[in-house]
Amino acid sequence: MVSPNWFFRQSRLLKLLATAGLMSLPSAPVLSSSYGAGIENSQWYLSESVFECSLVHEVPGFGRAVLRHRAGEDLRFYLESDLSVMRPGQGQLVVEAPPWRPGVPPSPIGAVQVTDSPRSVNLGNREAVLIAQGLSRGMQPTVTRAAVYSGQPVRVQLSNVNFSGPYAGYRECVASLLPVNFDQVRRSRVPFASGSTSLSQADMNLLDNIVTYVMADSTVERIFVDGHSDSIGSRIDNRALSEERANVVAEYLKSRGIDETMLTVRAHGDQYPVSRRPADNRRTTIRLQRQGERPELLQANGMGSEFSG
């Protein structure tokens, strides 16, 4: 039987030889931590409305992956986790084949930025579309980045199992999305030429989108329409001109189906300029108020207020 001292002496000898450069010691294998759903627990959940279409995938041990498409915006993708497992910095996104498809080469998408926020990976339209396309082809998009407390790589994989059905529903949902979302129309501005009260085609398109949104969102309870003018001319004339501009917008909204009781129409003349440029001050602003908001906290200070848009 070999004694423990023999193993000790051999280990010491190997270290001395390595130090002298006469031999090299084998390096320790680099282990990786992988997060991903298996065949038995891979699910994709579709959340759909006229405001947003989302595909949510639970990644066991990590968190969730989300493909999100808001009305009026492009598709986006993000990874969300309550625990920070990836070190902030540059990671890599690759679309790989699952183990049961050997021989299919991976498709690198490129570098991605990893942050220490709960939404550690947040990608734009290009990457999101490539991820969705990869999943629909039976592939596994994978984000790789070093772990927070070690140099070992962390791999977060998205499973394509049970993806095709929810993805078909997602595509139908996208076709029914509103043209805009609340953030895009909650404050809007209609510009006017000097002395004009006429709406351009672009102005009418904007107002049509506002009407479409308000008709769909029952939480919008009031629409503030505020007319403004530049400071050229008399105060009396400017006040009258701003009133005409506000009324033109309000009448258009009513003609498209907005209930008159929802509208609060006001005219301010040149009282609230937003710029030294006269063209910037010739405007009517539209602000949507949702249930529970407190408009009394807003001031007519010309910037970021309910009057300035």
Side-chain angles (χ1 to χ4, degrees):
M1 178 181 294
V2 180
S3 68
N5 288 335
W6 184 88
F7 286 107
F8 175 78
R9 290 194 299 271
Q10 291 297 313
S11 174
R12 188 175 180 184
L13 177 60
L14 290 174
K15 289 181 180 178
L16 289 173
L17 291 173
T19 302
L22 299 177
M23 68 172 293
S24 60
L25 293 174
S27 59
V30 178
L31 303 177
S32 64
S33 299
S34 294
Y35 299 90
I39 295 176
E40 72 286 350
N41 62 350
S42 175
Q43 294 294 332
W44 286 87
Y45 301 97
L46 171 63
S47 173
E48 53 186 325
S49 71
V50 294
F51 307 106
E52 180 179 314
C53 309
S54 296
L55 287 167
V56 180
H57 177 57
E58 296 295 331
V59 181
F62 176 82
R64 64 203 59 84
V66 181
L67 287 160
R68 186 188 188 199
H69 198 148
R70 291 186 74 197
E73 297 180 5
D74 291 327
L75 177 66
R76 297 190 65 86
F77 169 82
Y78 59 85
L79 288 176
E80 196 170 57
S81 177
D82 296 329
L83 299 174
S84 295
V85 298
M86 292 188 289
R87 183 183 304 173
Q90 183 173 290
Q92 295 294 322
L93 174 60
V94 176
V95 174
E96 301 175 334
W100 56 88
R101 296 180 63 186
V104 179
S107 300
I109 294 179
V112 297
Q113 192 64 29
V114 177
T115 68
D116 58 0
S117 67
R119 194 169 290 180
S120 56
V121 175
N122 195 337
L123 305 178
N125 181 248
R126 172 187 171 272
E127 294 85 358
V129 169
L130 291 174
I131 288 172
Q133 291 176 344
L135 288 164
S136 66
R137 298 197 316 269
M139 303 287 277
Q140 292 184 333
T142 303
V143 174
T144 304
R145 172 63 185 157
V148 172
Y149 299 113
S150 71
Q152 297 176 352
V154 171
R155 290 163 50 84
V156 180
Q157 284 189 325
L158 311 187
S159 172
N160 59 73
V161 177
N162 296 320
F163 176 76
S164 59
Y167 185 57
Y170 156 80
R171 297 182 67 174
E172 292 180 6
C173 176
V174 169
S176 301
L177 284 174
L178 296 174
V180 291
N181 60 57
F182 182 70
D183 293 334
Q184 293 172 329
V185 295
R186 67 185 306 173
R187 293 180 182 273
S188 304
R189 176 181 181 275
V190 174
F192 289 92
S194 180
S196 172
T197 60
S198 299
L199 297 175
S200 68
Q201 186 59 54
D203 299 332
M204 290 185 280
N205 292 341
L206 169 64
L207 297 176
D208 286 341
N209 283 340
I210 293 174
V211 171
T212 299
Y213 184 85
V214 171
M215 293 295 194
D217 188 350
S218 60
T219 67
V220 177
E221 62 180 7
R222 184 154 297 279
I223 303 174
F224 293 92
V225 180
D226 291 280
H228 302 266
S229 73
D230 57 32
S231 59
I232 301 171
S234 70
R235 281 284 177 91
I236 295 176
D237 291 341
N238 289 339
R239 174 67 169 70
L241 186 58
S242 68
E243 185 174 12
E244 276 192 74
R245 288 169 174 164
N247 285 333
V248 164
V249 170
E251 289 300 320
Y252 187 89
L253 293 175
K254 286 191 288 185
S255 72
R256 289 297 190 267
I258 295 296
D259 191 332
E260 185 174 4
T261 61
M262 294 183 65
L263 296 170
T264 297
V265 184
R266 301 174 291 196
H268 307 283
D270 55 14
Q271 188 177 0
Y272 301 109
V274 293
S275 169
R276 293 183 179 180
R277 297 178 65 248
D280 294 336
N281 299 319
R282 299 189 291 263
R283 71 206 190 277
T284 289
T285 62
I286 305 99
R287 184 177 67 82
L288 308 185
Q289 178 184 302
R290 277 176 160 170
Q291 297 169 2
E293 292 183 347
R294 301 177 62 187
E296 66 272 13
L297 298 179
L298 299 175
Q299 298 179 352
N301 58 8
M303 290 299 292
S305 73
E306 64 185 78
F307 299 124
S308 70

